[in-house]
Amino acid sequence: MKSYKLIRQLLNLVEDFESENTDRELSLSEFSGFLINHLSQANSESAVDVRFGNNYDHSKRSAYQIDNTIGRLFIYMSRYAKSYIKKTLDGTPLQSPEDFTCLAILLSHDSLSKSELISRNIQEKTSGTEVIRRLIQAGLVSQLDDIHDKRSKSISITEQGKQLLYRVFEDMNDVGKMVTGNLSLTEKLNLQYLLQKLDTFHYKLHENKVIQGKDDIRKHSKML
């Protein structure tokens, strides 16, 4: 029975919970609070990563710290999502998820400067410029001199780009369902709330160009 180890852990925790509360009947909601508190204090080996081996050295213990685990899972999820998106875009002029998100951003704007578009697409200048170049070459966006700043270029989506995007949107609904996987509606709503909270936090840092190097990361992580 694959879940035997988990059941044994739960039974042990129930015994611990009962030993701390011997004078009254206990409820599931109270045990849930006890369990959450226990996990917050423990080194989170409940989230075992199948990619790791069985050697419990210092590096593995560090990897299982909750912040490291969440960061690692974000990386995995971004790779799964990119894989699904790239397969969905196969056969279209769009070569990457960044091509798609660039078009999607432009759809809700009359135009954006190059720098604005690259920043909103959460890209570095070099890679963002390459995405814009590909989209211009494919006829999906157009580039004009910015009316407010002749040194800058204004980017807007073309009618061809809009038509392609509307077709791709239908397939992206399937990608979204794949990414959220087997989560229930309640879990999806909770996840959406938490991810939106994180995005608001990080986008502010991104927009203000706060994080320029390792020292900035260390400084701001100590403030959290």
Side-chain angles (χ1 to χ4, degrees), residues 68-173:
N68 293 341
T69 296
I70 291 172
R72 186 173 70 253
L73 292 174
F74 264 119
I75 293 171
Y76 293 158
M77 285 305 305
S78 70
R79 290 173 182 169
Y80 296 140
K82 281 190 173 185
S83 172
Y84 297 143
I85 293 172
K86 288 183 73 173
K87 289 177 174 62
T88 298
L89 297 179
D90 190 36
T92 76
L94 304 177
Q95 297 181 24
S96 71
E98 289 74 24
D99 290 11
F100 168 74
T101 53
C102 186
L103 276 187
I105 291 168
L106 285 172
L107 187 63
S108 58
H109 296 275
D110 292 331
S111 66
L112 288 171
S113 70
K114 266 189 176 182
S115 58
E116 286 176 326
L117 180 56
I118 291 170
S119 178
R120 294 186 186 204
N121 210 24
I122 321 295
Q123 288 189 279
E124 299 293 335
K125 183 177 180 179
T126 302
S127 55
T129 300
E130 177 60 23
V131 166
I132 293 172
R133 185 195 66 78
R134 285 201 302 266
L135 295 177
I136 292 173
Q137 196 171 43
L140 302 175
V141 304
S142 60
Q143 175 178 269
L144 297 171
D145 289 334
D146 193 307
I147 59 174
H148 303 295
D149 184 357
K150 297 299 182 182
R151 297 168 300 176
S152 182
K153 297 295 183 181
S154 178
I155 309 297
S156 59
I157 189 170
T158 64
E159 188 60 34
Q160 182 181 343
K162 290 179 182 178
Q163 294 305 315
L164 172 64
L165 199 55
Y166 292 143
R167 294 199 305 272
V168 172
F169 274 151
E170 295 183 16
D171 294 325
M172 284 299 171
N173 289 334

Side-chain angles (χ1 to χ4, degrees), residues 43-45 48-49 51-65 68-69 72:
N43 199 18
S44 182
E45 293 186 9
V48 173
D49 193 325
R51 298 160 186 81
F52 291 159
N54 295 319
N55 296 327
Y56 285 83
D57 55 14
H58 173 73
S59 62
K60 187 169 181 179
R61 288 194 298 272
S62 176
Y64 277 139
Q65 294 296 323
N68 293 341
T69 296
R72 186 173 70 253

